[in-house]
């Protein structure tokens, strides 16, 4: 199943199968159970995770004990606390599997070794992070432009698989809407 | 003044002065007037801009004609529409100088040439984008955790130079507060 990473790398950087076999030895393949936590606030040994199947969620819990979703990662997406990964300071986020999820994980130390051995992977990760950074700029545009209701419909139209494969209460949490409100919106559109 | 870029690169990647003299030839140095636009919606030939002095603002105008600030860039920061820079699709954003600003700009084509000639700069940009991406994750945490009033005070405490050097109405626009409301908050804190 790790061929998903091989294909993803080849979208941005040309790579032979033989090279990839060496590269994959830097990663740990993990099967994560539904609700299993991969990262807790306070962790300093951090990993970058690539999703082979399933879905990861990054969230935090505020001072009132309310959970807020910052980001999801589906198949072919990377997920980490990227500031903490760089600064080596403790993270303030959780990363959890939304459902049974298969991932490839790499620690920041291993990733540094990987970059030394395969410098062209700097180019791959540079592109991945540039796209992710740009996606956040666009996400800010959505947040500033539209009502939560409009964002839900735009989100549903742009990512139908996502909306169909993630529990409704999690999409609601991500968009800052109550699950009941999303049900109401769905009924409104159907009728 | 381009030594600011030299110092910034050396924070992440070791580089000699002689190498930098070659590198700098890939960039265009520009002095931008206050209010001058560097990018318009619809532009496809895009540049990544490094701020030597002054301040850039990235914004868009919504369907009702209201201007929304997505991001600022002060000395030592990079700014572009990073999704459009990657996809080569037309941007939906403006980039404008808030005050008299000196920048180093590089087109995506020139940047590709630069990466071929100096592969270690992939590592520099990979780190810059990773940090910027991580900063957006943290920014989402602020947006989801705090009221606009709390965000203003946290922002002011974290970036005092920023708050003192940018016109109040632009900070208000960035934080989604009216300038009058920020004046009121300032008075409240002083009294």
């Amino acid at each position: 199943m790790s061929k998903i990473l091989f294909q993803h790398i080849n979208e941005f950087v040309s790579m032979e199968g033989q090279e990839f076999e060496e590269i994959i030895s830097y990663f740990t393949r993990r099967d994560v159970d539904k609700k299993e936590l991969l990262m807790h606030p306070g962790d300093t040994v951090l990993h970058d995770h690539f999703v082979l199947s399933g879905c990861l969620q990054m969230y935090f819990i505020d001072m009132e004990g309310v959970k807020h979703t910052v980001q999801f990662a589906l198949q072919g997406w990377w997920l980490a606390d990227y500031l903490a990964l760089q600064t080596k300071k403790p993270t303030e986020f959780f990363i959890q599997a939304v459902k049974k999820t298969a991932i490839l994980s790499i620690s920041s130390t291993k990733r540094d070794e990987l970059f030394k051995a395969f410098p062209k992977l700097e180019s791959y990760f540079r592109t991945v992070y540039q796209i992710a950074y740009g996606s956040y700029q666009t996400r800010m545009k959505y947040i500033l432009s539209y009502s939560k209701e409009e964002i839900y419909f735009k989100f549903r139209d742009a990512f139908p698989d996502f909306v169909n494969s993630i529990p409704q209460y999690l999409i609601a949490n991500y968009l800052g809407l109550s699950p009941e409100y999303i049900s109401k919106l769905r009924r409104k559109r159907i009728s």
Side-chain angles (χ1 to χ4, degrees), chain A:
Chain A
M1 198 194 276
S2 54
K3 73 166 195 262
I4 293 162
L5 177 59
F6 179 64
Q7 287 160 352
H8 198 246
I9 292 174
N10 268 290
E11 279 180 38
F12 306 110
V13 173
S14 166
M15 168 149 298
E16 306 276 319
Q18 213 173 345
E19 267 181 303
F20 183 70
E21 286 189 21
E22 265 191 76
I23 284 167
I24 203 70
S25 69
Y26 288 78
F27 289 84
T28 308
R29 161 73 200 263
R30 289 181 64 179
D31 290 303
V32 194
D33 284 334
K34 184 177 171 174
K35 302 273 181 199
E36 193 179 329
L37 284 165
L38 290 169
M39 187 174 83
H40 299 78
D43 286 354
T44 49
V45 182
L46 300 179
H47 294 75
D48 204 353
H49 305 291
F50 181 80
V51 178
L52 297 169
S53 68
C55 180
L56 298 180
Q57 178 195 18
M58 183 160 139
Y59 66 89
F60 66 95
I61 294 174
D62 72 15
M63 307 278 276
E64 276 80 42
V66 179
K67 187 170 165 175
H68 300 273
T69 303
V70 169
Q71 205 172 329
F72 289 107
L74 295 171
Q75 185 182 76
W77 296 16
W78 285 93
L79 189 61
D81 174 350
Y82 289 101
L83 212 50
L85 199 70
Q86 178 64 27
T87 61
K88 322 270 190 223
K89 287 187 182 160
T91 182
E92 296 176 346
F93 297 100
F94 295 85
I95 292 181
Q96 189 176 38
V98 169
K99 48 170 85 173
K100 205 168 158 43
T101 298
I103 56 170
L104 288 168
S105 299
I106 188 164
S107 68
S108 56
T109 314
K110 274 277 176 197
R111 202 184 58 166
D112 289 344
E113 289 172 21
L114 182 67
F115 288 149
K116 268 193 193 135
F118 297 91
K120 66 180 169 184
L121 285 182
E122 290 271 17
S123 176
Y124 167 66
F125 279 95
R126 194 261 307 156
T127 312
V128 164
Y129 297 152
Q130 181 186 322
I131 292 170
Y133 174 24
S135 302
Y136 259 98
Q137 290 178 320
T138 301
R139 184 171 165 193
M140 282 309 298
K141 185 169 180 286
Y142 272 67
I143 291 173
L144 295 168
S145 298
Y146 301 111
S147 68
K148 287 177 177 178
E149 179 175 1
E150 287 169 324
I151 289 175
Y152 170 71
F153 288 117
K154 286 189 180 287
F155 190 77
R156 197 196 56 172
D157 295 345
F159 309 103
D161 294 348
F162 189 89
V163 171
N164 293 328
S165 68
I166 307 274
Q168 194 162 300
Y169 76 94
L170 286 179
I171 295 171
N173 188 270
Y174 176 65
L175 297 175
L177 296 162
S178 71
E180 295 72 25
Y181 186 64
I182 285 197
S183 290
K184 216 172 76 181
L185 290 182
R186 281 189 164 163
R187 281 198 302 275
K188 209 162 111 180
R189 269 291 167 110
I190 292 162
S191 61

CSV table of all heavy atoms in Angstrom, one decimal, chain A residues 35-37 57-72 92-98 169-177:
chain,number,residue,atom,x,y,z
A,35,LYS,N,-10.1,6.2,16.8
A,35,LYS,CA,-9.9,7.0,18.0
A,35,LYS,C,-8.5,7.0,18.7
A,35,LYS,O,-8.3,7.6,19.7
A,35,LYS,CB,-11.0,6.6,19.1
A,35,LYS,CG,-12.4,6.7,18.7
A,35,LYS,CD,-13.0,8.0,18.9
A,35,LYS,CE,-14.4,8.1,18.5
A,35,LYS,NZ,-14.8,9.5,18.3
A,36,GLU,N,-7.6,6.2,18.1
A,36,GLU,CA,-6.3,6.1,18.7
A,36,GLU,C,-5.5,7.4,18.5
A,36,GLU,O,-5.6,8.0,17.4
A,36,GLU,CB,-5.5,4.9,18.0
A,36,GLU,CG,-4.2,4.6,18.7
A,36,GLU,CD,-3.5,3.4,18.0
A,36,GLU,OE1,-4.1,2.5,17.4
A,36,GLU,OE2,-2.2,3.4,18.1
A,37,LEU,N,-4.8,7.8,19.5
A,37,LEU,CA,-4.1,9.1,19.5
A,37,LEU,C,-2.7,8.9,19.0
A,37,LEU,O,-2.0,8.0,19.5
A,37,LEU,CB,-4.1,9.8,20.8
A,37,LEU,CG,-5.4,10.4,21.2
A,37,LEU,CD1,-5.4,10.7,22.7
A,37,LEU,CD2,-5.7,11.7,20.5
A,57,GLN,N,-7.2,13.4,12.2
A,57,GLN,CA,-7.8,14.7,12.6
A,57,GLN,C,-6.8,15.4,13.6
A,57,GLN,O,-6.3,14.7,14.5
A,57,GLN,CB,-9.1,14.4,13.3
A,57,GLN,CG,-9.8,15.6,13.9
A,57,GLN,CD,-10.9,15.2,14.9
A,57,GLN,OE1,-10.9,14.1,15.4
A,57,GLN,NE2,-11.8,16.2,15.2
A,58,MET,N,-6.6,16.6,13.3
A,58,MET,CA,-5.7,17.4,14.3
A,58,MET,C,-6.7,18.4,15.0
A,58,MET,O,-7.4,19.1,14.4
A,58,MET,CB,-4.6,18.2,13.5
A,58,MET,CG,-3.7,18.9,14.4
A,58,MET,SD,-2.2,19.3,13.4
A,58,MET,CE,-1.9,21.0,14.0
A,59,TYR,N,-6.6,18.4,16.3
A,59,TYR,CA,-7.5,19.2,17.1
A,59,TYR,C,-6.8,19.7,18.4
A,59,TYR,O,-5.8,19.3,18.7
A,59,TYR,CB,-8.8,18.5,17.4
A,59,TYR,CG,-8.7,17.3,18.3
A,59,TYR,CD1,-8.8,17.5,19.7
A,59,TYR,CD2,-8.5,16.0,17.8
A,59,TYR,CE1,-8.7,16.4,20.5
A,59,TYR,CE2,-8.4,14.9,18.6
A,59,TYR,CZ,-8.5,15.1,20.0
A,59,TYR,OH,-8.5,14.0,20.9
A,60,PHE,N,-7.5,20.7,19.0
A,60,PHE,CA,-7.1,21.1,20.4
A,60,PHE,C,-8.3,21.2,21.2
A,60,PHE,O,-9.4,21.3,20.7
A,60,PHE,CB,-6.2,22.4,20.3
A,60,PHE,CG,-7.0,23.6,19.9
A,60,PHE,CD1,-7.6,24.4,20.8
A,60,PHE,CD2,-7.3,23.9,18.5
A,60,PHE,CE1,-8.4,25.5,20.5
A,60,PHE,CE2,-8.0,24.9,18.2
A,60,PHE,CZ,-8.6,25.8,19.1
A,61,ILE,N,-8.1,21.3,22.6
A,61,ILE,CA,-9.2,21.5,23.5
A,61,ILE,C,-9.0,22.9,24.2
A,61,ILE,O,-7.9,23.1,24.7
A,61,ILE,CB,-9.2,20.3,24.5
A,61,ILE,CG1,-9.6,19.1,23.7
A,61,ILE,CG2,-10.3,20.6,25.6
A,61,ILE,CD1,-9.6,17.8,24.5
A,62,ASP,N,-10.0,23.7,24.1
A,62,ASP,CA,-9.8,25.1,24.6
A,62,ASP,C,-10.0,25.1,26.2
A,62,ASP,O,-10.2,24.1,26.8
A,62,ASP,CB,-10.7,26.1,23.9
A,62,ASP,CG,-12.2,25.9,24.2
A,62,ASP,OD1,-12.5,25.3,25.2
A,62,ASP,OD2,-13.0,26.5,23.5
A,63,MET,N,-9.8,26.3,26.7
A,63,MET,CA,-9.9,26.5,28.2
A,63,MET,C,-11.2,26.1,28.8
A,63,MET,O,-11.2,25.7,30.0
A,63,MET,CB,-9.7,28.0,28.5
A,63,MET,CG,-8.4,28.6,27.9
A,63,MET,SD,-7.0,28.3,28.9
A,63,MET,CE,-7.1,29.6,30.1
A,64,GLU,N,-12.3,26.1,28.0
A,64,GLU,CA,-13.6,25.7,28.5
A,64,GLU,C,-13.8,24.2,28.3
A,64,GLU,O,-14.9,23.7,28.5
A,64,GLU,CB,-14.7,26.5,27.8
A,64,GLU,CG,-15.0,27.8,28.5
A,64,GLU,CD,-14.0,28.9,28.1
A,64,GLU,OE1,-13.7,28.9,26.9
A,64,GLU,OE2,-13.6,29.6,28.9
A,65,GLY,N,-12.8,23.5,27.7
A,65,GLY,CA,-12.9,22.0,27.5
A,65,GLY,C,-13.6,21.7,26.2
A,65,GLY,O,-14.0,20.5,25.9
A,66,VAL,N,-13.7,22.7,25.3
A,66,VAL,CA,-14.4,22.5,24.0
A,66,VAL,C,-13.3,22.0,23.0
A,66,VAL,O,-12.2,22.6,22.9
A,66,VAL,CB,-15.1,23.7,23.5
A,66,VAL,CG1,-15.8,23.5,22.2
A,66,VAL,CG2,-16.1,24.2,24.6
A,67,LYS,N,-13.7,21.0,22.2
A,67,LYS,CA,-12.8,20.5,21.2
A,67,LYS,C,-12.9,21.2,19.9
A,67,LYS,O,-14.1,21.4,19.4
A,67,LYS,CB,-13.1,19.0,21.0
A,67,LYS,CG,-12.3,18.1,20.2
A,67,LYS,CD,-12.7,16.7,20.4
A,67,LYS,CE,-12.1,15.8,19.3
A,67,LYS,NZ,-12.4,14.4,19.5
A,68,HIS,N,-11.8,21.6,19.2
A,68,HIS,CA,-11.9,22.3,17.9
A,68,HIS,C,-11.0,21.6,16.9
A,68,HIS,O,-9.8,21.4,17.2
A,68,HIS,CB,-11.4,23.8,18.1
A,68,HIS,CG,-12.2,24.6,19.0
A,68,HIS,ND1,-13.3,25.3,18.7
A,68,HIS,CD2,-12.0,24.9,20.3
A,68,HIS,CE1,-13.8,25.9,19.7
A,68,HIS,NE2,-13.0,25.7,20.8
A,69,THR,N,-11.6,21.3,15.8
A,69,THR,CA,-10.8,20.6,14.7
A,69,THR,C,-10.0,21.7,13.9
A,69,THR,O,-10.7,22.7,13.4
A,69,THR,CB,-11.7,19.9,13.8
A,69,THR,OG1,-12.4,18.9,14.6
A,69,THR,CG2,-10.9,19.1,12.7
A,70,VAL,N,-8.7,21.5,13.8
A,70,VAL,CA,-7.9,22.5,13.0
A,70,VAL,C,-7.8,22.0,11.5
A,70,VAL,O,-7.8,22.7,10.6
A,70,VAL,CB,-6.5,22.7,13.6
A,70,VAL,CG1,-5.6,23.4,12.7
A,70,VAL,CG2,-6.7,23.4,15.0
A,71,GLN,N,-7.7,20.6,11.4
A,71,GLN,CA,-7.4,20.1,10.1
A,71,GLN,C,-7.7,18.6,10.0
A,71,GLN,O,-7.5,17.9,11.0
A,71,GLN,CB,-5.9,20.3,9.9
A,71,GLN,CG,-5.4,20.3,8.4
A,71,GLN,CD,-4.0,20.8,8.4
A,71,GLN,OE1,-3.5,21.5,9.2
A,71,GLN,NE2,-3.2,20.3,7.4
A,72,PHE,N,-8.0,18.1,8.8
A,72,PHE,CA,-8.1,16.7,8.6
A,72,PHE,C,-7.1,16.2,7.6
A,72,PHE,O,-6.6,17.1,6.8
A,72,PHE,CB,-9.5,16.3,8.0
A,72,PHE,CG,-10.6,16.4,9.0
A,72,PHE,CD1,-11.6,17.4,8.9
A,72,PHE,CD2,-10.8,15.5,10.0
A,72,PHE,CE1,-12.6,17.5,9.7
A,72,PHE,CE2,-11.9,15.5,10.8
A,72,PHE,CZ,-12.8,16.6,10.7
A,92,GLU,N,0.8,21.8,21.0
A,92,GLU,CA,-0.4,22.1,21.8
A,92,GLU,C,-1.6,21.3,21.2
A,92,GLU,O,-2.8,21.5,21.6
A,92,GLU,CB,-0.7,23.6,21.8
A,92,GLU,CG,0.4,24.4,22.5
A,92,GLU,CD,0.1,25.9,22.3
A,92,GLU,OE1,-0.7,26.3,21.5
A,92,GLU,OE2,0.8,26.6,23.1
A,93,PHE,N,-1.4,20.4,20.2
A,93,PHE,CA,-2.4,19.8,19.5
A,93,PHE,C,-2.5,18.2,19.8
A,93,PHE,O,-1.5,17.7,20.2
A,93,PHE,CB,-2.3,20.0,18.0
A,93,PHE,CG,-2.3,21.4,17.5
A,93,PHE,CD1,-1.2,22.1,17.3
A,93,PHE,CD2,-3.6,22.0,17.4
A,93,PHE,CE1,-1.3,23.5,16.9
A,93,PHE,CE2,-3.7,23.3,16.9
A,93,PHE,CZ,-2.5,24.1,16.7
A,94,PHE,N,-3.6,17.7,19.5
A,94,PHE,CA,-3.8,16.2,19.4
A,94,PHE,C,-3.8,15.8,17.9
A,94,PHE,O,-4.4,16.6,17.1
A,94,PHE,CB,-5.1,15.8,20.0
A,94,PHE,CG,-5.3,16.0,21.4
A,94,PHE,CD1,-5.8,17.3,21.9
A,94,PHE,CD2,-5.1,15.0,22.3
A,94,PHE,CE1,-6.0,17.5,23.3
A,94,PHE,CE2,-5.3,15.2,23.7
A,94,PHE,CZ,-5.7,16.5,24.2
A,95,ILE,N,-3.3,14.6,17.6
A,95,ILE,CA,-3.7,14.0,16.3
A,95,ILE,C,-4.3,12.6,16.6
A,95,ILE,O,-3.7,11.8,17.3
A,95,ILE,CB,-2.4,13.9,15.4
A,95,ILE,CG1,-1.9,15.3,14.9
A,95,ILE,CG2,-2.8,13.0,14.1
A,95,ILE,CD1,-0.7,15.3,14.0
A,96,GLN,N,-5.4,12.4,16.0
A,96,GLN,CA,-6.2,11.2,16.3
A,96,GLN,C,-6.7,10.6,15.0
A,96,GLN,O,-7.0,11.3,14.0
A,96,GLN,CB,-7.4,11.6,17.2
A,96,GLN,CG,-8.1,10.4,17.7
A,96,GLN,CD,-9.2,10.9,18.7
A,96,GLN,OE1,-9.9,11.9,18.5
A,96,GLN,NE2,-9.4,10.1,19.8
A,97,ALA,N,-6.9,9.2,14.9
A,97,ALA,CA,-7.5,8.6,13.8
A,97,ALA,C,-9.0,8.7,13.9
A,97,ALA,O,-9.6,8.3,14.9
A,97,ALA,CB,-7.1,7.1,13.7
A,98,VAL,N,-9.7,9.2,12.8
A,98,VAL,CA,-11.1,9.3,12.8
A,98,VAL,C,-11.8,7.9,12.6
A,98,VAL,O,-12.8,7.6,13.1
A,98,VAL,CB,-11.5,10.2,11.6
A,98,VAL,CG1,-13.0,10.2,11.3
A,98,VAL,CG2,-11.0,11.6,11.9
A,169,TYR,N,-20.7,14.9,12.7
A,169,TYR,CA,-20.4,15.8,13.8
A,169,TYR,C,-19.0,16.3,13.7
A,169,TYR,O,-18.7,17.4,14.2
A,169,TYR,CB,-20.6,15.0,15.1
A,169,TYR,CG,-19.6,14.0,15.5
A,169,TYR,CD1,-18.5,14.3,16.3
A,169,TYR,CD2,-19.6,12.7,15.0
A,169,TYR,CE1,-17.5,13.4,16.6
A,169,TYR,CE2,-18.7,11.7,15.3
A,169,TYR,CZ,-17.6,12.1,16.1
A,169,TYR,OH,-16.6,11.2,16.4
A,170,LEU,N,-18.1,15.6,13.0
A,170,LEU,CA,-16.7,16.1,12.8
A,170,LEU,C,-16.6,17.2,11.8
A,170,LEU,O,-15.9,18.1,12.0
A,170,LEU,CB,-15.8,14.9,12.4
A,170,LEU,CG,-15.4,13.9,13.6
A,170,LEU,CD1,-14.5,12.8,13.0
A,170,LEU,CD2,-14.8,14.6,14.7
A,171,ILE,N,-17.4,17.0,10.7
A,171,ILE,CA,-17.5,18.1,9.7
A,171,ILE,C,-18.0,19.4,10.4
A,171,ILE,O,-17.5,20.5,10.2
A,171,ILE,CB,-18.3,17.7,8.5
A,171,ILE,CG1,-17.6,16.5,7.8
A,171,ILE,CG2,-18.5,18.9,7.5
A,171,ILE,CD1,-18.4,15.9,6.7
A,172,ALA,N,-19.1,19.2,11.2
A,172,ALA,CA,-19.7,20.3,11.9
A,172,ALA,C,-18.6,21.0,12.8
A,172,ALA,O,-18.5,22.2,12.8
A,172,ALA,CB,-20.8,19.8,12.7
A,173,ASN,N,-17.9,20.2,13.5
A,173,ASN,CA,-16.8,20.7,14.4
A,173,ASN,C,-15.8,21.5,13.6
A,173,ASN,O,-15.4,22.6,14.0
A,173,ASN,CB,-16.2,19.6,15.2
A,173,ASN,CG,-15.3,20.1,16.3
A,173,ASN,OD1,-14.1,20.3,16.1
A,173,ASN,ND2,-15.8,20.4,17.5
A,174,TYR,N,-15.4,20.9,12.5
A,174,TYR,CA,-14.4,21.6,11.6
A,174,TYR,C,-14.9,22.9,11.1
A,174,TYR,O,-14.1,23.9,11.0
A,174,TYR,CB,-14.0,20.6,10.5
A,174,TYR,CG,-13.1,21.2,9.4
A,174,TYR,CD1,-11.8,21.4,9.8
A,174,TYR,CD2,-13.5,21.3,8.1
A,174,TYR,CE1,-10.9,21.9,8.8
A,174,TYR,CE2,-12.6,21.8,7.2
A,174,TYR,CZ,-11.3,22.1,7.5
A,174,TYR,OH,-10.4,22.5,6.6
A,175,LEU,N,-16.2,23.0,10.7
A,175,LEU,CA,-16.7,24.2,10.1
A,175,LEU,C,-17.3,25.1,11.2
A,175,LEU,O,-17.8,26.2,10.9
A,175,LEU,CB,-17.8,23.8,9.1
A,175,LEU,CG,-17.3,23.0,7.9
A,175,LEU,CD1,-18.5,22.6,7.0
A,175,LEU,CD2,-16.3,23.8,7.1
A,176,GLY,N,-17.3,24.7,12.5
A,176,GLY,CA,-17.8,25.6,13.5
A,176,GLY,C,-19.4,25.6,13.5
A,176,GLY,O,-20.0,26.6,13.9
A,177,LEU,N,-20.0,24.5,13.0
A,177,LEU,CA,-21.4,24.4,13.0
A,177,LEU,C,-21.9,23.3,13.9
A,177,LEU,O,-21.1,22.3,14.1
A,177,LEU,CB,-21.9,24.1,11.6
A,177,LEU,CG,-21.7,25.1,10.5
A,177,LEU,CD1,-21.8,24.4,9.1
A,177,LEU,CD2,-22.6,26.2,10.6
